Amino acid sequence: MSFQPVVLWSDALLFVLIAVIVGLSLWARRQDALRGAWARVARDRVAMAAATVLAVFVLIGLLDSLHYRARLESPAGATARYAVEVNSALDALLTDLRSRTEKTYSAPLATHLFAREALENSTQREFPRLQHGGAQLGDELSGHEADIAVRVLRGVAGGLVAWLLLMLLVRTATVGSGGTALRTVAMTLLPILLLFGVAISLGGGYHVFGTDKVGQDVLYLSLKSIRTGLLIGTLTTLVMLPAAVALGILAGYVGGWVDDLIQYLYTTLSSIPGVLLIAAAVLMMQVVIDTHPEWFATSAERADARLLALCLILGMTSWTGVARLLRGETLKLRELEFVQAAQAFGVGSFAIMRRHILPNLMHIVLISLVMDFSGLVLAEAVLSYVGVGVDPTTISFGTMINTARMELAREPMVWWSLVAAFSFMFTLVLAANLFADAVRDAFDPRSSA
């Protein structure tokens, strides 16, 4: 076998979460109320467009979660040896972007470095040629603009051909039901495929978004940052959801000293500044990781441990809002006739909470989770910017912004790393917010009334 599969803890949890989502989707199809609500979401063109964009981000994140260690060359009959570096399927697909590094900064689609240097056999400081960017031009730099134009047209043509093939499949599939949703998805994929085609065509000869301080391709770093944002936005729910649902329902239904205790708990947590609490917890976890290096076989496992610790800490500090919301709704539900009838017939408290209270709160849970996703993605960027987020070796939007912030004061300004990170993060957060608005409108009884 030419590689050794590696399953990090974050990978396993992500795949478990996806399996749970698929299971819940199959269960929701058998529930008339849920099926009708999701049908309203599917009829919303903005929601389906946002869902398509999110699906593209999720696909990139899943490719980046299939990790492996490449097999090293060894004599015939010898024991197989594997590289220490852990790569992903996305790294394999982006091998050219990953391997074509330059000396330092270069602007998008440039052929020379961004800073002047003293060259050999020259008394003046000049802009050195890039090793890879525009190398196909040779010494004929006069054809730089024409080469970019040809590559853009070639990428547009390739993306358009891919979209037309997809449209043929969609036209065949839309003979029955679901035509509106599929057509919206297809129309949303048109600009996405065009952008992908242009990026692939230009990326074969240039650095589309330039390079950073150590010469890495910024487009590659931006694509690698997607997985970190998705993990922070999704895995945190595995920590937050059980505590928020259980404590919120208990406080609202049982009342008394249980309600007082839970209120005291989430009020205390809410009163502590979130950044300070997260920073203290992350620093303590980092001390544990540094003092036990034997726990981790590779640097990827070490960085993954800090990422999971950040998800755990964010979950422990972000469940209070959902719990407070569920408590208030449970206080209202426990006074309704069907709950009082169940109590009169002697049904146990836990059975009532499981059969009558929880199903009537699921729309609130779903709305809260979808709307909190974008907030968690932004939280990672902020925390990594101030130095208490993910491991420095983990590529994320926050680390990209943190690396680029010192270069904003130089003249001329190095702007492309910040713009690339912001553009990808803005697109992800905007799509999540638009989809959350549609889910809220579809599942909120007051909106559908």
Short mmCIF file of all heavy atoms in Angstrom, two decimals, residues 206-233:
data_model
loop_
_atom_site.label_atom_id
_atom_site.label_comp_id
_atom_site.label_asym_id
_atom_site.label_seq_id
_atom_site.Cartn_x
_atom_site.Cartn_y
_atom_site.Cartn_z
N TYR A 206 0.32 30.54 -12.46
CA TYR A 206 0.53 31.69 -11.60
C TYR A 206 0.05 31.38 -10.18
O TYR A 206 -0.60 30.35 -9.93
CB TYR A 206 -0.24 32.91 -12.13
CG TYR A 206 0.14 33.33 -13.52
CD1 TYR A 206 -0.58 32.87 -14.62
CD2 TYR A 206 1.21 34.18 -13.74
CE1 TYR A 206 -0.25 33.25 -15.91
CE2 TYR A 206 1.56 34.57 -15.03
CZ TYR A 206 0.82 34.09 -16.11
OH TYR A 206 1.16 34.47 -17.37
N HIS A 207 0.37 32.29 -9.28
CA HIS A 207 -0.21 32.26 -7.94
C HIS A 207 -1.43 33.19 -7.96
O HIS A 207 -1.28 34.42 -7.99
CB HIS A 207 0.81 32.71 -6.90
CG HIS A 207 2.04 31.85 -6.84
ND1 HIS A 207 2.04 30.58 -6.32
CD2 HIS A 207 3.31 32.08 -7.29
CE1 HIS A 207 3.25 30.06 -6.41
NE2 HIS A 207 4.04 30.95 -6.99
N VAL A 208 -2.62 32.60 -7.94
CA VAL A 208 -3.84 33.37 -8.17
C VAL A 208 -4.01 34.45 -7.13
O VAL A 208 -4.34 35.60 -7.45
CB VAL A 208 -5.07 32.43 -8.18
CG1 VAL A 208 -6.35 33.23 -8.42
CG2 VAL A 208 -4.91 31.36 -9.25
N PHE A 209 -3.80 34.12 -5.86
CA PHE A 209 -3.91 35.08 -4.77
C PHE A 209 -2.54 35.49 -4.21
O PHE A 209 -2.46 36.00 -3.10
CB PHE A 209 -4.77 34.52 -3.64
CG PHE A 209 -6.24 34.46 -3.97
CD1 PHE A 209 -7.06 33.52 -3.36
CD2 PHE A 209 -6.79 35.33 -4.88
CE1 PHE A 209 -8.42 33.47 -3.68
CE2 PHE A 209 -8.13 35.28 -5.20
CZ PHE A 209 -8.95 34.35 -4.60
N GLY A 210 -1.49 35.27 -4.98
CA GLY A 210 -0.16 35.63 -4.53
C GLY A 210 0.41 34.64 -3.53
O GLY A 210 -0.12 33.53 -3.34
N THR A 211 1.49 35.03 -2.88
CA THR A 211 2.15 34.18 -1.88
C THR A 211 2.33 34.98 -0.59
O THR A 211 2.31 36.21 -0.59
CB THR A 211 3.52 33.68 -2.38
OG1 THR A 211 4.33 34.82 -2.74
CG2 THR A 211 3.35 32.79 -3.60
N ASP A 212 2.54 34.25 0.51
CA ASP A 212 2.71 34.90 1.80
C ASP A 212 4.19 35.13 2.11
O ASP A 212 5.04 35.04 1.22
CB ASP A 212 2.02 34.08 2.90
CG ASP A 212 2.66 32.72 3.10
OD1 ASP A 212 3.59 32.37 2.34
OD2 ASP A 212 2.24 31.99 4.01
N LYS A 213 4.49 35.38 3.38
CA LYS A 213 5.84 35.76 3.77
C LYS A 213 6.86 34.67 3.50
O LYS A 213 8.01 34.94 3.16
CB LYS A 213 5.85 36.13 5.26
CG LYS A 213 7.17 36.72 5.74
CD LYS A 213 7.07 37.19 7.18
CE LYS A 213 8.35 37.85 7.64
NZ LYS A 213 8.25 38.36 9.02
N VAL A 214 6.46 33.40 3.65
CA VAL A 214 7.38 32.29 3.42
C VAL A 214 7.20 31.68 2.03
O VAL A 214 7.73 30.61 1.74
CB VAL A 214 7.20 31.20 4.50
CG1 VAL A 214 7.59 31.74 5.86
CG2 VAL A 214 5.77 30.67 4.52
N GLY A 215 6.45 32.35 1.17
CA GLY A 215 6.32 31.91 -0.21
C GLY A 215 5.24 30.89 -0.49
O GLY A 215 5.18 30.36 -1.61
N GLN A 216 4.38 30.59 0.48
CA GLN A 216 3.30 29.64 0.24
C GLN A 216 2.17 30.29 -0.55
O GLN A 216 1.89 31.47 -0.40
CB GLN A 216 2.75 29.10 1.56
CG GLN A 216 3.67 28.13 2.27
CD GLN A 216 3.01 27.54 3.51
OE1 GLN A 216 2.66 28.27 4.45
NE2 GLN A 216 2.83 26.24 3.53
N ASP A 217 1.51 29.48 -1.38
CA ASP A 217 0.41 29.97 -2.19
C ASP A 217 -0.78 30.32 -1.30
O ASP A 217 -1.24 29.49 -0.51
CB ASP A 217 0.01 28.91 -3.22
CG ASP A 217 -0.92 29.46 -4.27
OD1 ASP A 217 -2.14 29.54 -4.00
OD2 ASP A 217 -0.46 29.82 -5.34
N VAL A 218 -1.29 31.54 -1.41
CA VAL A 218 -2.38 32.00 -0.55
C VAL A 218 -3.69 31.29 -0.87
O VAL A 218 -4.49 31.05 0.01
CB VAL A 218 -2.52 33.53 -0.66
CG1 VAL A 218 -3.74 34.03 0.11
CG2 VAL A 218 -1.27 34.22 -0.16
N LEU A 219 -3.90 30.93 -2.14
CA LEU A 219 -5.11 30.18 -2.49
C LEU A 219 -5.12 28.82 -1.79
O LEU A 219 -6.16 28.39 -1.29
CB LEU A 219 -5.18 30.00 -4.01
CG LEU A 219 -6.35 29.15 -4.53
CD1 LEU A 219 -7.68 29.74 -4.12
CD2 LEU A 219 -6.26 28.99 -6.05
N TYR A 220 -3.97 28.17 -1.75
CA TYR A 220 -3.87 26.90 -1.04
C TYR A 220 -4.17 27.07 0.45
O TYR A 220 -4.91 26.28 1.04
CB TYR A 220 -2.47 26.31 -1.25
CG TYR A 220 -2.13 25.15 -0.35
CD1 TYR A 220 -2.67 23.89 -0.59
CD2 TYR A 220 -1.28 25.32 0.74
CE1 TYR A 220 -2.36 22.82 0.23
CE2 TYR A 220 -0.97 24.26 1.56
CZ TYR A 220 -1.51 23.01 1.31
OH TYR A 220 -1.20 21.95 2.13
N LEU A 221 -3.62 28.11 1.06
CA LEU A 221 -3.87 28.35 2.48
C LEU A 221 -5.35 28.65 2.73
O LEU A 221 -5.91 28.21 3.75
CB LEU A 221 -3.01 29.52 2.96
CG LEU A 221 -1.48 29.33 2.89
CD1 LEU A 221 -0.78 30.60 3.33
CD2 LEU A 221 -1.05 28.16 3.75
N SER A 222 -5.99 29.38 1.83
CA SER A 222 -7.40 29.71 2.01
C SER A 222 -8.27 28.46 1.94
O SER A 222 -9.20 28.29 2.74
CB SER A 222 -7.84 30.71 0.93
OG SER A 222 -7.09 31.90 1.00
N LEU A 223 -7.98 27.57 1.01
CA LEU A 223 -8.74 26.33 0.90
C LEU A 223 -8.51 25.43 2.11
O LEU A 223 -9.44 24.76 2.59
CB LEU A 223 -8.37 25.59 -0.39
CG LEU A 223 -8.77 26.29 -1.70
CD1 LEU A 223 -8.22 25.53 -2.89
CD2 LEU A 223 -10.28 26.41 -1.80
N LYS A 224 -7.29 25.41 2.63
CA LYS A 224 -6.99 24.60 3.81
C LYS A 224 -7.67 25.16 5.06
O LYS A 224 -7.94 24.43 6.02
CB LYS A 224 -5.48 24.54 4.04
CG LYS A 224 -4.73 23.73 3.01
CD LYS A 224 -4.92 22.23 3.22
CE LYS A 224 -4.20 21.76 4.47
NZ LYS A 224 -4.31 20.29 4.66
N SER A 225 -7.94 26.46 5.07
CA SER A 225 -8.57 27.08 6.24
C SER A 225 -10.04 26.70 6.38
O SER A 225 -10.62 26.84 7.46
CB SER A 225 -8.44 28.60 6.17
OG SER A 225 -7.09 29.00 6.13
N ILE A 226 -10.64 26.23 5.30
CA ILE A 226 -12.07 25.92 5.33
C ILE A 226 -12.36 24.81 6.34
O ILE A 226 -13.34 24.88 7.10
CB ILE A 226 -12.55 25.52 3.93
CG1 ILE A 226 -12.49 26.74 3.00
CG2 ILE A 226 -13.97 24.95 3.97
CD1 ILE A 226 -12.81 26.42 1.56
N ARG A 227 -11.52 23.79 6.37
CA ARG A 227 -11.77 22.67 7.29
C ARG A 227 -11.77 23.14 8.74
O ARG A 227 -12.62 22.73 9.53
CB ARG A 227 -10.71 21.58 7.10
CG ARG A 227 -10.82 20.43 8.11
CD ARG A 227 -9.73 19.40 7.90
NE ARG A 227 -9.85 18.30 8.85
CZ ARG A 227 -9.25 18.25 10.03
NH1 ARG A 227 -8.47 19.28 10.41
NH2 ARG A 227 -9.42 17.22 10.84
N THR A 228 -10.83 24.01 9.08
CA THR A 228 -10.77 24.49 10.47
C THR A 228 -12.03 25.25 10.84
O THR A 228 -12.60 25.04 11.92
CB THR A 228 -9.54 25.39 10.65
OG1 THR A 228 -8.36 24.68 10.25
CG2 THR A 228 -9.39 25.81 12.10
N GLY A 229 -12.50 26.12 9.94
CA GLY A 229 -13.74 26.85 10.23
C GLY A 229 -14.93 25.94 10.37
O GLY A 229 -15.77 26.12 11.26
N LEU A 230 -15.02 24.93 9.50
CA LEU A 230 -16.15 23.99 9.59
C LEU A 230 -16.09 23.17 10.88
O LEU A 230 -17.13 22.92 11.51
CB LEU A 230 -16.14 23.06 8.38
CG LEU A 230 -16.49 23.69 7.02
CD1 LEU A 230 -16.35 22.67 5.91
CD2 LEU A 230 -17.90 24.26 7.05
N LEU A 231 -14.90 22.75 11.27
CA LEU A 231 -14.78 21.96 12.50
C LEU A 231 -15.18 22.78 13.72
O LEU A 231 -15.89 22.29 14.60
CB LEU A 231 -13.35 21.45 12.65
CG LEU A 231 -12.92 20.31 11.72
CD1 LEU A 231 -11.46 19.97 11.94
CD2 LEU A 231 -13.78 19.08 11.94
N ILE A 232 -14.73 24.02 13.76
CA ILE A 232 -15.10 24.87 14.89
C ILE A 232 -16.61 25.09 14.92
O ILE A 232 -17.24 25.07 15.99
CB ILE A 232 -14.37 26.22 14.80
CG1 ILE A 232 -12.86 26.03 14.97
CG2 ILE A 232 -14.90 27.19 15.85
CD1 ILE A 232 -12.43 25.58 16.34
N GLY A 233 -17.22 25.27 13.75
CA GLY A 233 -18.65 25.53 13.71
C GLY A 233 -19.53 24.32 13.95
O GLY A 233 -20.67 24.46 14.38
#
